[in-house]
Amino acid sequence: MIAFLKRWWADCPPYALALFLAVTPAWAVQPDEMLTDPVLESRAREISRDIRCPVCQGETIDDSNAPISRDLRLIIRERLVAGDSDAEVVDYIVARYGEGVLFNPPAEGANLVLWLAGPALLLAGIAVALAAGRRRVAPDVVLTTEEESRLKEILKE
């Protein structure tokens, strides 16, 4: 394996290395958004890992370049600087944008249906599969007289 990598590295064109370096993940958080206090910045990053971009839906606000994500990152940092706890910051964002911005919404109220639907459907599928397996009946097979005599010979031996 190492010999392969050495050979590949020697034959590798320069633009291939640039391509691999360009594929590395980039954070959308801009330097002008970062807080000078490392503790507050760490808290802000922790909170924003659980907040979904309202536009992108599959990305955190730290990963998204959408303007709304930038606004949410700034709001989180402003609230932390103002002295809010992590829970208060999340509650503030949920109050403004709804529970749809949370990657892990709480399992209560209407969300409880969503949390329980997956396991309930899994159990229902297993029950249907078991019921279908039990209903399966071996088909009636009628043996010819020649087959019956051969079967009797085999069973006598």
Side-chain angles (χ1 to χ4, degrees):
M1 180 69 173
I2 294 177
F4 167 76
L5 291 174
K6 285 181 181 178
R7 197 170 350 112
W8 179 82
W9 185 257
D11 296 338
C12 178
Y15 60 84
L17 179 61
L19 177 68
F20 284 121
L21 293 176
V23 176
T24 60
W27 296 102
V29 178
Q30 303 298 316
D32 63 331
E33 297 174 12
M34 292 184 186
L35 297 172
T36 55
D37 183 2
V39 174
L40 286 180
E41 181 62 27
S42 172
R43 285 177 57 200
R45 292 290 178 107
E46 189 67 31
I47 292 170
S48 53
R49 269 190 228 132
D50 294 330
I51 305 294
R52 179 190 327 252
C53 173
V55 176
C56 308
Q57 294 297 314
E59 296 181 345
T60 66
I61 58 173
D62 272 356
D63 297 335
S64 174
N65 286 323
I68 188 73
S69 292
R70 177 179 166 78
D71 293 344
L72 286 169
R73 290 190 300 263
L74 291 173
I75 288 171
I76 288 171
R77 284 162 175 79
E78 287 173 4
R79 303 297 297 183
L80 289 174
V81 169
D84 287 358
S85 69
D86 294 359
E88 289 172 334
V89 172
V90 171
D91 290 343
Y92 178 81
I93 290 174
V94 168
R96 291 186 71 186
Y97 295 97
E99 287 183 343
V101 297
L102 297 176
F103 269 114
N104 295 313
E108 56 188 29
N111 290 334
L112 191 59
V113 173
L114 297 174
W115 280 99
L116 297 177
L121 289 175
L122 176 66
L123 292 174
I126 290 171
V128 167
L130 290 174
R134 287 185 180 163
R135 283 190 210 155
R136 181 178 283 181
V137 179
D140 292 333
V141 178
V142 179
L143 299 176
T144 63
T145 55
E146 182 180 303
E147 291 171 336
E148 283 183 19
S149 63
R150 175 74 180 131
L151 182 60
K152 286 178 184 177
E153 288 176 22
I154 292 173
L155 291 176
K156 285 182 184 177
E157 295 174 359

